[in-house]
Amino acid sequence: MDRAIVGTSASPGIVLGPVHLLRWEVPDVPHLIIPDEDVDREIARFQDAVARARERLQSVKDRAERHAGPEEAAIFEVQITILADAELHTRVESYIRQNLGAEKAFDLVLLEWRQQFAKSPSPLMRVRVGDLTDVHIRVLSVLLGLPDHDPVDVPKGANAILVTHDLTPSLTVQLDREAIAGIATDSGTRTSHVAILARSLGLPAVVGLRDATSRLRGDEYVVLDGSSGILVVNPSAAEIDTFRNRAVAEAQTEAELFKAAGQDAITTDGVRITVRANVDLPDEAEQASHSGAEGVGLMRTEFLVVGRATMPDEEEQYRAYRRVVEAFGGRPVVIRTFDVGGDKLPVGGFPSEPNPFLGWRAIRMCLDQPEIFKVQLRALLRAALHGDVRIMLPLIITVDEVRETRRLLAECAQELEARGCAFQHAVPLGIMVETPAAVIGADAYVDDVAFFSIGTNDLVQYTLAVDRGNANLAGRFTPLHPSVLRLIRRTVEVGAEHDLDVSVCGEMASQPLMAFALIGLGLRTLSVNPRSVPLVKRIVRGLSVSFAVEAAEAAMQARTAVEAERQLKYRLLAAFGDAAVLRDSVL
Ligand code: PEP
Ligand code: MG
């Protein structure tokens, strides 16, 4: 099929629909010099473009508000404020008076501002870089007469496939599931922000297509196959039939699996595996609680701040956490403190640091801004009154970070007490093990933490030095690399020696072959995306731990990821044959 564009499977499901192409990039601008007599007219043209961009933003905001909510749509208010900024107008008009065309004048000012904001020591300023970029694109598009394709324009029921380079916060809040049926992006990998978000929204997605936005014109129909990671352009009737049949088969398999989702996951040799869900949006909680999940193994709180102009206050956070906790009625809920920065928003739009993945993010950012961090900690202590909450810290590299957090937690408890506000005093505190430093030094934490949760998405990235979001490196991002397997094994051993719970909440746990390896490495708790809960439980019920141990040993002794995968694959296939449960999964 030469009309197939191959990417990476990010969120399962097969959908057919018209392409909604969005080239959300700063356009090239001609360097136009204008004569003196045209200056006034050019200034008027600039002002007119700003007025039109403002009108457009207002209507995008109104519509986003209706399906995403006022807090989320606030991002557009910020952009409207930028457009009204007096200094922006003075600077652009001054360039026009120096005989630059309106496009170039505006382009220069926005480039300067974006650079200045990106270098700012204040995170609140750096957050604005994404908004400036959006404004940059929007006004230039008006001046250059380029079409605008805001996803909010897609009518309900259109079943459109959004094809774009990357999903920015302002695009994310425009996603109306009644209009958009699937997402396809040039950038990203299975573990990048866009893939995680698509899975949470239950939208089929293919990422890492590299050049889909330049290969498509925007008037095509496509089949998006989120399970195998391809986009088929203008499919023939026969191809559509094939995909429809596959979609039906997938849905049947899923329905079969779902029927048994409530059963315990016990291996054939009687070992119980706890399967929990990863929850990224409070809206997902109720549905996830019916997936058969035995609690939440990871709630990613950074999605609460996507696209927001301001951080959610304590009350709003408390309500969001409480909603998840209550949905799971007493089952454990592990809530991770803000993991922003890197590929995680809101410090973005474009990277504001030369090495964002090694940069000022996650626990580092939180500890450096205790006033912001403590709002979250207080909300967590309060939400813990309503169930079994556990707090988890991301990107830990030293036990000092845990101790400093404990000190802040104690301060928060005092503050709540002074306010007469009810809260839970003893909330277990655990860490994500997702850096080689945390694995190799795991024994240094055992007296200070209640549990370890292995974040394989980052652990693979930092161990192999492979950027998890870079589509060009997708083939090199190999969680089954023997070095990674050995690090996981070591973490399990330290946990066992000190009677600490160890789980895995990275994407590895959601994939049958890798879940098999993890059980063989000694894991007894896995946290997976809610849709994979029934599948992972089914896999567990079909295998024995002794068999998994033998497979994992062989994989750890392999010299390469390919060889490790082979060792695991033939054994898993021996246990399941070509059973339907494995057919569509990533094997
Ligand atoms: C991980 O790193 O594996 C993880 C679960 O966290 P995130 O994907 O949010 O970085
Ligand atoms: Mg991580």
Side-chain angles (χ1 to χ4, degrees), residues 142 157 169 336 441:
V142 176
R336 181 175 75 186

Side-chain angles (χ1 to χ4, degrees), residues 50-231:
V50 168
R52 280 166 49 206
R54 183 183 194 291
E55 244 170 62
R56 179 78 194 147
L57 271 170
Q58 189 62 47
S59 88
V60 170
K61 176 178 173 240
D62 293 345
R63 276 188 269 176
E65 215 166 66
R66 266 176 256 139
H67 65 80
E71 303 290 357
E72 286 72 14
I75 190 171
F76 300 110
E77 196 55 53
V78 173
Q79 297 182 12
I80 291 173
T81 313
I82 295 173
L83 280 178
D85 190 283
E87 200 194 329
L88 173 80
H89 287 255
T90 313
R91 299 271 297 274
V92 173
E93 287 170 23
S94 139
Y95 274 135
I96 297 177
R97 287 184 211 290
Q98 293 168 48
N99 301 87
L100 281 186
E103 291 86 345
K104 198 70 204 170
F106 182 75
D107 189 38
L108 284 181
V109 174
L110 263 288
L111 281 173
E112 286 165 18
W113 279 24
R114 283 168 56 197
Q115 248 174 20
Q116 270 170 24
F117 275 59
K119 283 195 208 132
S120 165
S122 153
L124 292 175
M125 299 286 272
R126 289 203 302 270
V127 166
R128 297 278 76 89
V129 171
D131 297 312
L132 285 171
T133 309
D134 278 357
V135 167
H136 195 172
I137 298 171
R138 192 171 290 280
V139 173
L140 281 183
S141 301
V142 176
L143 282 167
L144 294 165
L146 302 173
D148 47 22
H149 295 290
D150 293 291
V152 278
D153 283 346
V154 181
K156 287 192 188 298
N159 245 357
I161 312 295
L162 177 68
V163 183
T164 181
H165 185 71
D166 196 5
L167 216 52
T168 63
S170 61
L171 292 179
T172 307
V173 301
Q174 291 188 42
L175 288 180
D176 178 355
R177 272 185 279 178
E178 289 175 41
I180 306 285
I183 304 174
T185 60
D186 288 341
S187 67
T189 60
R190 209 181 149 74
T191 58
S192 59
H193 167 257
V194 46
I196 291 170
L197 192 72
R199 287 195 287 274
S200 303
L201 293 169
L203 275 175
V206 180
V207 298
L209 289 157
R210 295 162 196 245
D211 56 359
T213 52
S214 44
R215 282 171 67 178
L216 294 171
R217 285 190 313 269
D219 56 357
E220 300 89 343
Y221 263 78
V222 289
V223 167
L224 179 147
D225 181 348
S227 311
S228 21
I230 57 170
L231 206 59

Side-chain angles (χ1 to χ4, degrees), residues 344-407:
K344 315 260 181 53
L345 304 162
V347 184
F350 69 87
S352 55
E353 295 182 307
N355 277 315
F357 280 115
L358 305 181
W360 191 63
R361 51 171 294 213
I363 191 71
R364 304 164 185 188
M365 196 185 264
C366 286
L367 289 176
D368 288 355
Q369 303 180 100
E371 286 322 309
I372 292 179
F373 193 23
K374 280 170 66 179
V375 173
Q376 180 172 45
L377 296 177
R378 285 193 299 267
L380 287 168
L381 290 179
R382 290 174 57 194
L385 266 188
H386 304 280
D388 180 356
V389 170
R390 303 163 190 193
I391 300 177
M392 178 156 76
L393 307 177
L395 204 74
I396 292 296
I397 56 165
T398 159
V399 72
D400 291 340
E401 292 157 335
V402 181
R403 292 180 178 160
E404 181 60 13
T405 304
R406 260 195 211 290
R407 198 183 62 71

